[in-house]
Amino acid sequence: MSSPVSQFKTDATAKAGDLRHRGLIQTALRKYEIVRDVRKGAFQDWEQARQSAAETKFFAINHLDTHLVEFAEKLEARGTKVHWASTASQAREIIGGIIKQKQAKSVVKSKAMTAEEIHLNPALEKLGFEVVESDLGEYIVQLREEAPYHIVFPAMHLTRAEISDLFHNKLGSPETHSPEELTMIARDALREKYITADIGITGANFAIAETGMISVTENEGNARLSAALPKTMISLLGIEKVLPKLEDLALFLPMLATAGAGQQITCYNTMYGGPRQADECDGPEEYHVVLLDNRRTELLADPEQRDALHCIRCGACLNVCPIFRNVGGHTYGTTYSGPIGSVITPHLRGLQDWKHLSNSSSLCGACTETCPVKIDLHHHLLHNRRNASAGKPSVLERLAYRIYAIAVNTPGFWGLGKRIGRLAYPFARFFSGTIYDPARAWTKTRDLPPMPGQSFKEWWKERNR
Amino acid sequence: MVEGTEPMSERERILGRIREALKGRAPLPGHHGEVVENFAGPERETFSQWLPAVGNTKKAKFEAFAKASADLKTDFRHVADEATMIRELRSVAKEEGWIKVASHHTDLTDMACGKLGLPTLWTDGGYDVNEMESCDVGISVCDALVAQTGTIVLTSRTGGGRALSVLPPHHVVLAHSKQMVRDLPAAFALLKERFGDGFPSMMTLITGPSRTGDIERILVLGAHGPKKLTVLCHD
């Protein structure tokens, strides 16, 4: 098993040079940029909307205890069973336990990044349950036995030809390059699953404290079917999903859709607050909500980076990130990729193992600028760098900087370096970027800039003569 | 199973960690790293001023709804009266060759389905899912139409349950023009006013027919939910 950092470097190098991959991602994201800008432009004031959204999430997170208690009590009053899980394994046990108790055979699941985070599907499959992902993109990556590529567009890295081959091999469907026909193949395959499934599992985009409801955003209707037909419904969500009031959705639903997919509002935004009530004709007999901590409280304990818990998982920061666009989603090796993933993964999975993600950034700030809830993403990458080096300083790096500091503070040294540089430059070309070059990691993909014949100081002197 | 994990104590542990964590104060976003004392939350009455603009006249609202519907590929028909609405419904039924419909009992749907004269699956009091799956259309009423986004608001209590509006391949909404609200904040205010003392177990905002862009970001309608959405609204 390679370490996260070496896996990242290997995959990043491979993906950055993969022109086919680049083409696909650039096309998809260019389409996204165009529609997103149209939708942003329709807002009377997008910047004020961001400020209001940031303040709403700030208030929600900084009173998380009272909001969670209110959320759980309101849900329970409507007959929902609320479970609290400190760790991923507890959450898996709770969900596995419910399914076992119901003697369920099949489980239909709608998209939930939290379930990816706790590796729910492999755990349930180990217990002998069939789990079917019902979101089209998730269904495709599940058939390919890989992780979602992007938190909003899971199958963004695939062409229709690849999806056609996949369906042909796994489902025996005829080959077709029509996205419409491919979608209908999945629709037909999954219809039966909804009707026969015993358990429906969903994630949640928001948890409304005031009314005790989760809110699920989706375009396809798969989550609505998962919440309508099976006899037992389970929703898994991180504790940070809270919004204080029902009417906060009036701001968050269009902002999530705009930032996430360039839509004015997503096709279905559905609030669930309990199992089937006495005066209702359908819906699950039992409803379970599983609230997951999984080290979110550690991030909460860091006031400097607490706003990372404001994240609504729209994926906007991934879409604009030059690193994401070059190395792709899978390279990160994390559940949450892109800038937000680079910020929170070190908190969720260990700073020293994942600190390299903080360096995989150009610090251009595009993520911070695009974030609909104003998370200070690129500064948090710097905070993680600082914390990582404070926790485990690199002796060689410190030494190098010390020598550099002496060199730039001592004119004699600097002048000497300049002269050596000029003499050495003609020879440097021969080994720059080769295995004999100590700075190879940097120079193998970059040209050594030519050494000027005259320094600024020399030029200034000459000019004033 | 669940008992073994002691959910109560885990609840207390998580809440304890949260309370401990919140002892350190975080800066308010947009305030240059400053900790703001006694921040009382956002000013929610301003939300409407940031969201996309919609006029407040009936004409402006219907125009906005019609424009959003065209973008979303919702078939929206604003007609003069109930009789015209029924004529429109019957013409859609004929065009698509409906054999069986699903609906729920309200004065309007009873009348409309009666006029259609087709076998009808009523969801009230429970129904067979396989039978609903075989229906050509789900016909429901709604709680509101939202001009700003072209959205239909309905609930499990008032819209014939959870599946009627999502399982059949076509969803038809019968509405009255008085149900048109201006924007999303107005829609949520209406839900709170109507259900504040006992919310249904499901409330949904439906905006266009089911869709996906998961294959090369190309739009396909009818991913899992209805391929068609028709809104018939009368004055």
Side-chain angles (χ1 to χ4, degrees):
Chain A
M1 197 66 193
S2 62
S3 71
V5 59
S6 68
Q7 174 264 319
F8 182 88
K9 282 184 179 167
T10 314
D11 291 0
T13 308
K15 273 290 180 293
D18 180 347
L19 293 180
R20 189 191 140 279
H21 174 261
R22 289 176 84 96
L24 265 172
I25 302 311
Q26 300 300 349
T27 311
L29 291 178
R30 219 166 285 140
K31 282 186 191 172
Y32 156 82
E33 279 171 358
I34 293 166
V35 287
R36 177 204 60 191
D37 287 346
V38 170
R39 291 307 177 192
K40 266 191 187 174
F43 273 68
Q44 291 173 77
D45 197 327
W46 175 256
E47 283 310 311
Q48 289 285 2
R50 286 178 76 213
Q51 182 61 28
S52 288
E55 288 177 5
T56 308
K57 273 309 269 192
F58 173 87
F59 191 77
I61 292 295
N62 285 278
H63 299 86
L64 188 57
D65 51 341
T66 47
H67 286 134
L68 279 177
V69 169
E70 193 182 7
F71 171 69
E73 281 173 0
K74 289 278 163 61
L75 272 169
E76 283 160 347
R78 236 176 277 111
T80 308
K81 178 93 180 91
V82 179
H83 308 261
W84 302 70
S86 286
T87 63
S89 75
Q90 281 176 2
R92 289 193 299 262
E93 269 167 40
I94 291 166
I95 295 171
I98 298 166
I99 301 176
K100 254 193 254 169
Q101 194 206 28
K102 295 282 136 201
Q103 299 180 319
K105 285 187 191 69
S106 67
V107 178
V108 65
K109 195 170 148 286
S110 69
K111 193 170 162 38
M113 288 312 292
T114 324
E116 297 290 334
E117 179 186 326
I118 66 164
H119 305 291
L120 182 64
N121 291 5
L124 294 182
E125 278 157 15
K126 230 181 187 171
L127 293 174
F129 306 118
E130 186 200 13
V131 186
V132 182
E133 289 289 348
S134 57
D135 172 87
L136 177 60
E138 293 279 343
Y139 182 60
I140 291 167
V141 294
Q142 187 188 32
L143 287 178
R144 284 173 60 92
E145 293 171 31
E146 63 184 17
Y149 180 89
H150 181 290
I151 58 178
V152 176
F153 316 126
M156 185 190 200
H157 59 307
L158 300 172
T159 62
R160 59 187 106 171
E162 287 167 305
I163 295 165
S164 169
D165 285 347
L166 176 75
F167 284 179
H168 179 68
N169 293 334
K170 299 269 178 167
L171 306 172
S173 59
E175 304 219 14
T176 169
H177 285 189
S178 146
E180 180 135 22
E181 285 174 24
L182 288 168
T183 304
M184 291 312 133
I185 292 166
R187 179 186 168 106
D188 292 341
L190 287 165
R191 273 268 144 161
E192 201 200 309
K193 304 283 182 191
Y194 293 118
I195 293 176
T196 54
D198 311 292
I199 311 263
I201 300 181
T202 78
N205 296 85
F206 303 103
I208 312 301
E210 176 191 31
T211 58
M213 289 172 189
I214 64 154
S215 175
V216 180
T217 293
E218 52 152 349
N219 273 309
E220 298 182 3
N222 58 310
R224 284 198 58 201
L225 287 166
S226 306
L229 306 181
K231 283 198 169 157
T232 304
M233 174 179 172
I234 305 170
S235 298
L236 170 67
L237 52 141
I239 51 172
E240 84 286 11
K241 291 287 172 202
V242 291
L243 284 178
K245 302 249 179 218
L246 184 65
E247 58 265 36
D248 293 336
L249 290 175
L251 181 67
F252 277 84
L253 299 179
M255 289 190 79
L256 172 63
T258 298
Q263 286 177 280
Q264 188 172 14
I265 185 167
T266 317
C267 190
Y268 299 109
N269 287 288
T270 312
M271 291 132 265
Y272 299 100
R276 172 184 184 170
Q277 304 292 293
D279 58 350
E280 293 172 357
C281 66
D282 59 4
E285 289 163 9
E286 265 185 41
Y287 183 37
H288 298 263
V289 167
V290 183
L291 287 167
L292 177 72
D293 178 353
N294 205 21
R295 300 176 83 169
R296 282 163 175 77
T297 43
E298 284 181 35
L299 184 50
L300 190 73
D302 179 357
E304 191 174 50
Q305 294 191 48
R306 187 176 293 159
D307 69 349
L309 290 169
H310 298 182
C311 177
I312 57 171
R313 305 279 186 263
C314 68
C317 60
L318 283 62
N319 299 343
V320 300
C321 177
I323 307 300
F324 181 91
R325 292 171 84 129
N326 275 290
V327 306
H330 286 148
T331 299
Y332 287 81
T334 57
T335 307
Y336 307 104
S337 59
I340 185 66
S342 299
V343 167
I344 64 175
T345 305
H347 291 270
L348 303 179
R349 291 165 76 170
L351 178 58
Q352 295 305 334
D353 282 343
W354 298 94
K355 63 182 178 186
H356 59 280
L357 295 179
S358 318
N359 292 314
S360 64
S361 159
S362 64
L363 298 178
C364 65
C367 46
T368 306
E369 200 170 295
T370 205
C371 177
V373 290
K374 288 188 150 182
I375 301 171
D376 202 359
L377 288 157
H378 71 293
H379 283 114
H380 293 339
L381 292 172
L382 284 173
H383 298 144
N384 277 343
R385 288 186 192 183
R386 178 201 61 203
N387 297 346
S389 79
K392 197 178 169 190
S394 159
V395 181
L396 273 178
E397 199 174 309
R398 286 208 164 174
L399 187 70
Y401 275 111
R402 199 154 294 164
I403 293 170
Y404 178 73
I406 294 169
V408 296
N409 283 314
T410 319
F413 264 133
W414 185 249
L416 183 69
K418 222 160 50 187
R419 279 193 293 278
I420 294 172
R422 261 179 224 148
L423 283 171
Y425 178 73
F427 306 100
R429 291 184 289 144
F430 297 113
F431 73 97
S432 169
T434 68
I435 51 166
Y436 303 107
D437 184 352
R440 184 168 184 268
W442 179 261
T443 51
K444 71 179 169 185
T445 53
R446 291 168 181 86
D447 292 326
L448 196 62
M451 198 79 183
Q454 192 182 33
S455 74
F456 175 77
K457 214 170 132 187
E458 288 160 355
W459 171 79
W460 189 258
K461 231 183 228 165
E462 198 178 288
R463 188 178 167 274
N464 289 327
R465 201 172 283 156
Chain B
M1 43 135 270
V2 178
E3 284 76 12
T5 58
E6 292 176 317
M8 280 312 286
S9 75
E10 221 41 64
R11 174 186 190 269
E12 289 317 312
R13 270 185 216 133
I14 291 174
L15 290 173
R17 282 198 296 273
I18 292 170
R19 286 176 189 134
E20 189 58 38
L22 289 177
K23 283 181 181 164
R25 307 283 304 281
L28 186 65
H31 285 72
H32 309 285
E34 239 179 86
V35 171
V36 174
E37 295 299 328
N38 304 321
F39 176 66
E43 290 169 28
R44 294 188 168 82
E45 55 284 5
T46 62
F47 290 177
S48 273
Q49 298 164 34
W50 322 140
L51 293 170
V54 193
N56 206 17
T57 61
K58 185 183 170 192
K59 186 166 170 271
K61 285 190 271 189
F62 274 85
E63 275 172 9
F65 193 91
K67 190 186 171 294
S69 297
D71 288 348
L72 294 158
K73 303 195 165 52
T74 302
D75 181 5
F76 171 55
R77 306 181 194 189
H78 182 200
V79 296
D81 51 30
E82 218 174 76
T84 323
M85 182 164 87
I86 300 301
R87 270 205 302 282
E88 293 286 335
L89 180 67
R90 290 179 68 170
S91 85
V92 179
K94 207 171 156 195
E95 215 174 284
E96 292 193 6
W98 293 347
I99 296 167
K100 186 169 183 180
V101 305
S103 189
H104 63 122
H105 288 302
T106 65
D107 291 346
L108 188 59
T109 47
D110 284 354
M111 193 269 292
C113 292
K115 292 274 164 83
L116 275 178
L118 293 170
T120 306
L121 170 74
W122 299 101
T123 61
D124 309 70
Y127 58 90
D128 176 55
V129 172
N130 286 296
E131 200 183 340
M132 187 191 278
E133 219 276 320
S134 71
C135 290
D136 299 298
V137 62
I139 302 173
S140 78
V141 297
C142 66
D143 285 279
L145 302 174
V146 187
Q148 189 173 49
T149 48
T151 298
I152 295 130
V153 183
L154 59 81
T155 77
S156 48
R157 194 183 300 159
T158 52
R162 294 192 183 195
L164 178 64
S165 54
V166 74
L167 189 61
H170 189 163
H171 179 206
V172 175
V173 180
L174 306 179
H176 189 282
S177 60
K178 280 185 189 150
Q179 291 182 297
M180 183 72 75
V181 301
R182 187 179 179 182
D183 58 9
L184 289 167
F188 282 101
L190 180 140
L191 284 174
K192 262 179 134 165
E193 193 193 308
R194 187 164 296 171
F195 302 111
D197 45 10
F199 283 102
S201 72
M202 184 212 78
M203 308 197 290
T204 188
L205 273 58
I206 301 171
T207 312
S210 156
R211 60 196 55 225
T212 185
D214 274 348
I215 300 173
E216 292 188 24
R217 306 281 299 125
I218 295 164
L219 176 71
V220 177
L221 297 183
H224 292 291
K227 295 173 196 179
K228 284 185 183 167
L229 176 64
T230 305
V231 180
L232 304 177
C233 181
H234 74 88
D235 279 331

